[in-house]
Amino acid sequence: MRNVFTIAGKELRSYFTSPVAYVLLASYLALAGYFFYALLLAFNQTLQIYSMMRNPEMLSRFNLNQMVIAPLLHNLAVLLIFIVPAITMRMFPEEKRSGTYELLLTSPIRVGEIVLGKFLGGLVLVLLMVALSGLFGVLLRAYGNPELPMMLVGYLGLALMATVFLALGTLISSFTDNVVIGYVGALFALLVLYTIGWLGETVQGVSGNLIRYVSITDHFQELTKGIVDTRDLVYFVTLVVVGLFLTQRSVESVRWR
Amino acid sequence: MIEVASLTKRYGELAAIRDVSFTAAPGQILGFLGPNGAGKTTTMRIITGFLPATTGTVRVDGFDVFEQSAEVRRRIGYLPENPPLYNDMSVPSYLRFVAKLKGLRRGDVAVALERVLDTCGLRQVRDRLLGHLSKGYRQRVGLAQALIHDPPVLILDEPTIGLDPRQIIEIRSLIRTLGGKRTVILSTHILPEVSQVCDKVVIINEGHIVIEDQVANLTRDRTLEDVFIEAITRDSGDGSRASAAAES
């Protein structure tokens, strides 16, 4: 475990001693702020229209959770599809290019520790992003009355989603020694994972069920509604574990060739 | 200390090395000589456990590189052809990182760091980023990371390449002081380096060993240059005749 933290610490330092972490954090938060502002504006406008119609029954159905937080979380998830690959793309290619891969693989540490360390380093950065975007939830709470548990579960969903993205990005980065391929490969995989649910709406039968199960959006949607289902949690954890396990195999495979 | 026994490494059809065997006794400095592309780097990568061999075995201090890889890796300090540096790290933070990777205890890291800063002459560049160092200093940091856990075995892949004459002399004398206590394998294609620094020489050509002997024996009545050129020409001549025969 000590080796894992050694690697994770080095990864994290390299994010923060270069501009990488700041550029990613700033772009993410700036866009997130814009999404939040736009959603809030739309919410206020609709609210005004309905209050002019003096329809109390309609008004009571309005809530911040459904009209601001849930769409915001979905937008942030899409944003992370583009941001997380920028974190994972250099994990392995850079080591291979600079020759430090030889240092890591000839040190008395296990391949699994290298993979886990790199993943954890990235995870700290990703979770920091998600946590900072929690600021919007805090603002809503200060000036409005969103349901707190529902909001927290939604953010938990976003964090889980980001963790899955990170694990898959780590896996793809281990396949290549090219940073561009590392980015585009991860972007492609995450977009497929995110959009595959679109097929699930039309395909019937067993394959339809399968597609709906694989689709990350369907599981995420449940969490943004504030519903914690063990099946969804199992789904996220499974993807992370499988992603990291395959990364370990892919790095280890240098030794079989 | 190091026993290499009939190593072969194939990449598909192409054999990078064939049936390579040699030994290095404890405390010996072994010069690993050969033209570019002869298989020096491949052999060294196999010894360090970075690459697997197709067939054959390597034992370091009695431990098998494939079976007891972790034990072997603990005992080896390795300087690859390009020093494995992270350009965004400073000299001490990089060396501390390597020290922890090599399994040094937290309390021993500071002492080890000071020791290698001294032995490798890195005091002046203490606070610099690795990316800003000159080639010579990068090479020295590379050597420092190989030495940080005080390993009994050192594998150095062309340690003096790209250095200026003064630095070459410094690094050579440093390596000489490392022998005796440690077993060193040093690859190079600079012949005087071997006669100045090494006890034993192994010459590899086109993937197989052509000479394994003490430097003193080889240079008794002629220079190492003559020995090297003669061995390589004789071997390459044989090789092309053999392959011509195989084709006909």
Side-chain angles (χ1 to χ4, degrees), chain A residues 12 18 22 37 39 42 48 66 71 74-75 82 97-98 148 176 192 201 214 222 230:
Chain A
L12 207 56
S18 68
Y22 307 102
Y37 179 70
L39 285 166
Q48 265 169 7
Q66 263 177 43
H74 279 281
N75 289 350
F82 292 88
R97 287 274 165 105
S98 68
L148 194 58
T176 176
V192 167
E201 288 162 16
V214 172
E222 297 299 300
T230 332

Side-chain angles (χ1 to χ4, degrees), chain A residues 2-3 6-7 10 13-14 17-18 94-95 98-110 254-257, chain B residues 9 45 48-50 52 70 73-74 78 80 83-86 88-89 93-94 97-98 100-102 104-106 145:
Chain A
R2 216 196 88 181
N3 293 328
T6 303
I7 306 259
K10 187 230 106 202
R13 248 202 321 273
S14 88
T17 51
S18 68
E94 214 166 74
E95 306 271 2
S98 68
T100 47
Y101 208 46
E102 274 177 84
L103 168 66
L104 292 182
L105 290 184
T106 58
S107 292
I109 57 175
R110 281 190 297 259
V254 177
R255 301 194 197 282
W256 314 331
R257 279 176 219 149
Chain B
K9 175 72 186 174
R45 283 180 160 177
T48 57
F50 179 66
R73 282 183 273 164
R74 236 187 289 283
Y78 174 38
L85 309 183
Y86 295 100
D88 55 2
M89 283 176 124
S93 67
Y94 169 72
F97 168 66
V98 177
K100 283 186 233 157
L101 276 190
K102 302 288 177 184
L104 254 65
R105 269 177 285 128
R106 211 165 283 273
Q145 65 78 26

Side-chain angles (χ1 to χ4, degrees), chain A residues 88 113 161 169 219:
Chain A
T88 57
E113 293 174 322
M161 187 115 146
H219 296 277

